[in-house]
mmCIF file of all heavy atoms in Angstrom:
data_model
loop_
_atom_site.group_PDB
_atom_site.id
_atom_site.type_symbol
_atom_site.label_atom_id
_atom_site.label_comp_id
_atom_site.label_asym_id
_atom_site.label_seq_id
_atom_site.Cartn_x
_atom_site.Cartn_y
_atom_site.Cartn_z
ATOM 1 N N GLU H 363 102.207 119.463 62.145
ATOM 2 C CA GLU H 363 101.701 118.132 62.477
ATOM 3 C C GLU H 363 102.180 117.098 61.457
ATOM 4 O O GLU H 363 102.566 115.989 61.803
ATOM 5 C CB GLU H 363 100.170 118.152 62.553
ATOM 6 C CG GLU H 363 99.659 118.959 63.730
ATOM 7 C CD GLU H 363 98.146 119.088 63.752
ATOM 8 O OE1 GLU H 363 97.477 118.469 62.899
ATOM 9 O OE2 GLU H 363 97.635 119.810 64.629
ATOM 10 N N LYS H 364 102.157 117.494 60.193
ATOM 11 C CA LYS H 364 102.594 116.567 59.140
ATOM 12 C C LYS H 364 104.051 116.159 59.344
ATOM 13 O O LYS H 364 104.415 114.996 59.236
ATOM 14 C CB LYS H 364 102.477 117.219 57.758
ATOM 15 C CG LYS H 364 101.078 117.252 57.216
ATOM 16 C CD LYS H 364 101.099 117.783 55.791
ATOM 17 C CE LYS H 364 99.695 118.034 55.323
ATOM 18 N NZ LYS H 364 99.613 118.717 54.047
ATOM 19 N N GLN H 365 104.876 117.165 59.635
ATOM 20 C CA GLN H 365 106.297 116.848 59.841
ATOM 21 C C GLN H 365 106.471 115.924 61.044
ATOM 22 O O GLN H 365 107.298 115.013 61.029
ATOM 23 C CB GLN H 365 107.105 118.137 60.061
ATOM 24 C CG GLN H 365 107.278 118.944 58.787
ATOM 25 C CD GLN H 365 107.821 120.341 59.064
ATOM 26 O OE1 GLN H 365 107.492 120.964 60.084
ATOM 27 N NE2 GLN H 365 108.641 120.847 58.163
ATOM 28 N N ALA H 366 105.683 116.167 62.074
ATOM 29 C CA ALA H 366 105.788 115.331 63.276
ATOM 30 C C ALA H 366 105.422 113.884 62.960
ATOM 31 O O ALA H 366 106.072 112.950 63.426
ATOM 32 C CB ALA H 366 104.896 115.882 64.382
ATOM 33 N N VAL H 367 104.399 113.713 62.125
ATOM 34 C CA VAL H 367 103.973 112.357 61.747
ATOM 35 C C VAL H 367 105.115 111.635 61.027
ATOM 36 O O VAL H 367 105.333 110.444 61.207
ATOM 37 C CB VAL H 367 102.703 112.421 60.867
ATOM 38 C CG1 VAL H 367 102.438 111.102 60.168
ATOM 39 C CG2 VAL H 367 101.508 112.833 61.710
ATOM 40 N N LEU H 368 105.862 112.388 60.240
ATOM 41 C CA LEU H 368 106.961 111.771 59.489
ATOM 42 C C LEU H 368 108.171 111.453 60.372
ATOM 43 O O LEU H 368 109.075 110.737 59.978
ATOM 44 C CB LEU H 368 107.387 112.691 58.343
ATOM 45 C CG LEU H 368 106.415 112.732 57.165
ATOM 46 C CD1 LEU H 368 106.720 113.910 56.246
ATOM 47 C CD2 LEU H 368 106.464 111.427 56.366
ATOM 48 N N ARG H 369 108.190 112.015 61.569
ATOM 49 C CA ARG H 369 109.360 111.893 62.429
ATOM 50 C C ARG H 369 109.462 110.583 63.195
ATOM 51 O O ARG H 369 110.531 110.151 63.573
ATOM 52 C CB ARG H 369 109.337 113.010 63.478
ATOM 53 C CG ARG H 369 109.954 114.279 63.040
ATOM 54 C CD ARG H 369 111.414 114.049 62.671
ATOM 55 N NE ARG H 369 111.871 115.094 61.796
ATOM 56 C CZ ARG H 369 112.125 116.319 62.206
ATOM 57 N NH1 ARG H 369 111.995 116.626 63.473
ATOM 58 N NH2 ARG H 369 112.523 117.232 61.363
ATOM 59 N N VAL H 370 108.329 109.972 63.476
ATOM 60 C CA VAL H 370 108.362 108.797 64.350
ATOM 61 C C VAL H 370 108.426 107.539 63.493
ATOM 62 O O VAL H 370 107.647 107.375 62.559
ATOM 63 C CB VAL H 370 107.125 108.766 65.271
ATOM 64 C CG1 VAL H 370 107.130 107.509 66.135
ATOM 65 C CG2 VAL H 370 107.102 110.011 66.133
ATOM 66 N N GLU H 371 109.385 106.697 63.816
ATOM 67 C CA GLU H 371 109.530 105.473 63.032
ATOM 68 C C GLU H 371 108.428 104.496 63.424
ATOM 69 O O GLU H 371 108.343 104.104 64.588
ATOM 70 C CB GLU H 371 110.896 104.865 63.335
ATOM 71 C CG GLU H 371 111.460 104.132 62.167
ATOM 72 C CD GLU H 371 112.683 103.352 62.588
ATOM 73 O OE1 GLU H 371 113.552 103.935 63.263
ATOM 74 O OE2 GLU H 371 112.736 102.172 62.255
ATOM 75 N N PRO H 372 107.580 104.094 62.458
ATOM 76 C CA PRO H 372 106.431 103.253 62.821
ATOM 77 C C PRO H 372 106.822 102.001 63.614
ATOM 78 O O PRO H 372 106.187 101.653 64.593
ATOM 79 C CB PRO H 372 105.834 102.870 61.466
ATOM 80 C CG PRO H 372 106.258 103.943 60.531
ATOM 81 C CD PRO H 372 107.591 104.415 61.021
ATOM 82 N N LYS H 373 107.909 101.349 63.176
ATOM 83 C CA LYS H 373 108.336 100.112 63.824
ATOM 84 C C LYS H 373 108.549 100.297 65.317
ATOM 85 O O LYS H 373 108.355 99.397 66.112
ATOM 86 C CB LYS H 373 109.661 99.680 63.191
ATOM 87 C CG LYS H 373 109.625 98.291 62.671
ATOM 88 C CD LYS H 373 110.910 97.837 62.028
ATOM 89 C CE LYS H 373 112.125 98.690 62.278
ATOM 90 N NZ LYS H 373 113.243 98.423 61.400
ATOM 91 N N GLN H 374 108.975 101.510 65.685
ATOM 92 C CA GLN H 374 109.283 101.775 67.085
ATOM 93 C C GLN H 374 108.071 101.630 67.996
ATOM 94 O O GLN H 374 108.206 101.357 69.175
ATOM 95 C CB GLN H 374 109.814 103.205 67.216
ATOM 96 C CG GLN H 374 111.310 103.284 67.280
ATOM 97 C CD GLN H 374 111.752 104.561 67.961
ATOM 98 O OE1 GLN H 374 111.279 105.630 67.611
ATOM 99 N NE2 GLN H 374 112.644 104.454 68.913
ATOM 100 N N LEU H 375 106.885 101.834 67.435
ATOM 101 C CA LEU H 375 105.679 101.796 68.267
ATOM 102 C C LEU H 375 105.494 100.427 68.923
ATOM 103 O O LEU H 375 104.874 100.311 69.978
ATOM 104 C CB LEU H 375 104.437 102.129 67.441
ATOM 105 C CG LEU H 375 104.404 103.525 66.842
ATOM 106 C CD1 LEU H 375 103.115 103.717 66.053
ATOM 107 C CD2 LEU H 375 104.515 104.599 67.905
ATOM 108 N N ASP H 376 106.056 99.409 68.272
ATOM 109 C CA ASP H 376 106.004 98.060 68.832
ATOM 110 C C ASP H 376 106.330 98.029 70.316
ATOM 111 O O ASP H 376 105.685 97.344 71.097
ATOM 112 C CB ASP H 376 107.058 97.202 68.123
ATOM 113 C CG ASP H 376 106.416 96.091 67.333
ATOM 114 O OD1 ASP H 376 105.182 95.963 67.423
ATOM 115 O OD2 ASP H 376 107.132 95.386 66.636
#
Side-chain angles (χ1 to χ4, degrees):
E363 292 175 5
K364 282 186 189 172
Q365 287 168 325
V367 165
L368 286 166
R369 273 300 158 74
V370 177
E371 211 190 312
K373 234 179 14 194
Q374 261 203 311
L375 297 180
D376 245 356

